[in-house]
Amino acid sequence: MKNMYKEKLVVDDTSIDYEMRVPITEIMRMLEIATFNHADSIGLDHDNMIKTSNAFWIVSKMKLLVTGSLKSGDKATVKTWTYEPGMIRFDRACELKVGSSIKAKAIAEWCCLDYETRRIRKGNSINFPQLEMVETKKIPTNYTNMKLDVDKDDYVYTKTIRSTDIDVNNHTNNLKYNFMALDCFSVDEMKSMDIKEYEIYFVNESHEGDKIDIYRKKYKSYYYIEGKCVDKTIFRTVIKFKKK
C-alpha cells in the first residue's frame, strides 16, 4: 500500500459562491474527500479503526495555502499523502491542481482518540499499516499558533449545534467549523479581501445542543476567530488576507 493517493473531481455550479469561485469551505471539503478515500483504501476508515483498534481519527489542526482560484467546470486533481507516523501525531499533506497549476496546498495534523474514553491514543497502540513512502515532499506551511484574547467587544454571533452538524463520531463535523468561522464576515467583507492562508485548530469537541459563541478580532493582516462554549474554547481560526 502506498502513502500517496489521487482523486479527480469536477467543479460544478453547486460548489461556487456569489463571486463564481470555489470558497474555502468547499476547498476543505474537496481535500477531505481525498483524505477519507485514501484512508478507506489502506484500511484506516472509521469502521475498520473501531473494529481493529477501538479508536477513531480526529484532525487537531490544519493549515491551507490558497495559491489560485477555482471556478465551475474546472477539472481538479487532489493529491494527498502521509508522512511517517509519529508517537502521537500523524501528519498528512494535500495538493490541489487544475492541470499543472497548483490552486491550494495544505498540511494537517491528525491523531487517534480511544472510542470509549475519548482520550488520545499512541501510534503504536493502533493497527497502522506498513506504507510504501512514494511521496515525501514537505508542504512549507508553518503554523502561526496565534492566540489572542477575545472579549464581549469581539462577539459576532452564537451558533447552536443541531442534528445536521453531527458526524459519525457523534460530535460536530470538523467541516462545520469552517462555516462558523467564515460566517463572521458579511458578503461585502468577503468580496473585499482575498484569503491567502487559512488555519484552524480543533481544541475541544462540541455536541448537539451546545451553544458556541463566535468572536472575531483583527490583527494586522490577520483575522483571529474563536468559538467558545461557556468558558471552553472549541476551535480557533487564523485567516491571513489581502485587500483587493
Side-chain angles (χ1 to χ4, degrees):
M1 292 181 286
K2 296 180 179 180
N3 75 320
M4 194 272 287
Y5 176 86
K6 287 184 179 180
E7 180 93 21
K8 293 187 181 296
L9 300 167
V10 178
V11 179
D12 61 27
D13 287 348
T14 65
S15 300
I16 57 177
D17 64 10
Y18 38 79
E19 292 192 289
M20 306 297 287
R21 300 193 305 177
V22 176
I24 296 292
T25 50
E26 182 65 14
I27 292 173
M28 296 289 268
R29 189 187 73 85
M30 293 167 73
L31 301 185
E32 185 170 278
I33 288 172
T35 57
F36 273 58
N37 285 343
H38 186 208
D40 288 349
S41 71
I42 59 178
L44 292 175
D45 56 281
H46 179 79
D47 290 344
N48 202 47
M49 282 290 292
I50 293 175
K51 181 179 178 181
T52 62
S53 302
N54 199 39
F56 62 94
W57 292 108
I58 62 165
V59 185
S60 54
K61 60 183 180 180
M62 183 172 185
K63 184 164 186 175
L64 172 72
L65 297 182
V66 182
T67 55
S69 61
L70 293 97
K71 61 185 185 302
S72 183
D74 280 346
K75 296 179 180 179
T77 299
V78 179
K79 183 168 76 170
T80 181
W81 62 97
T82 63
Y83 300 124
E84 291 282 358
M87 183 177 293
I88 292 175
R89 188 178 71 187
F90 298 79
D91 287 335
R92 175 181 283 278
C94 294
E95 194 174 75
L96 191 157
K97 285 185 174 183
V98 174
S100 61
S101 177
I102 298 174
K103 301 298 185 180
K105 48 189 176 181
I107 187 75
E109 180 181 293
W110 294 68
C111 61
C112 282
L113 294 188
D114 187 273
Y115 189 67
E116 305 297 337
T117 67
R118 319 290 278 196
R119 293 182 180 276
I120 291 177
R121 292 270 296 274
K122 290 185 176 180
N124 60 11
S125 73
I126 67 170
N127 187 29
F128 197 89
Q130 284 291 118
L131 298 177
E132 180 187 357
M133 294 291 166
V134 297
E135 177 64 88
T136 58
K137 180 174 63 175
K138 294 290 183 180
I139 299 290
T141 50
N142 296 325
Y143 294 97
T144 64
N145 292 311
M146 185 184 293
K147 186 175 182 181
L148 303 179
D149 291 329
V150 293
D151 56 33
K152 62 180 181 180
D153 293 333
D154 305 308
Y155 171 80
V156 182
Y157 75 101
T158 297
K159 162 69 177 178
T160 300
I161 303 302
R162 302 296 189 190
S163 59
T164 56
D165 299 314
I166 303 301
D167 67 11
V168 70
N169 294 318
N170 290 307
H171 63 193
T172 304
N173 187 312
N174 66 291
L175 291 177
K176 299 290 184 175
Y177 295 114
N178 300 317
F179 288 97
M180 293 182 213
L182 294 171
D183 277 344
C184 280
F185 303 95
S186 68
V187 170
D188 286 343
E189 286 176 316
M190 292 294 289
K191 285 182 176 180
S192 71
M193 63 183 183
D194 279 326
I195 295 175
K196 298 299 182 182
E197 298 179 12
Y198 181 85
E199 198 171 294
I200 186 162
Y201 300 80
F202 304 98
V203 184
N204 285 292
E205 294 180 280
S206 65
H207 304 89
E208 185 179 2
D210 284 347
K211 296 182 183 297
I212 302 179
D213 295 328
I214 313 294
Y215 300 83
R216 186 186 90 179
K217 177 174 282 191
K218 188 178 179 183
Y219 175 75
K220 297 183 179 179
S221 60
Y222 293 89
Y223 277 108
Y224 173 80
I225 298 160
E226 185 169 345
K228 302 180 75 171
C229 185
V230 190
D231 293 325
K232 182 170 67 173
T233 297
I234 302 300
F235 74 94
R236 294 185 285 119
T237 303
V238 181
I239 298 174
K240 186 175 184 179
F241 69 95
K242 181 179 180 181
K243 285 193 173 185
K244 291 182 180 178

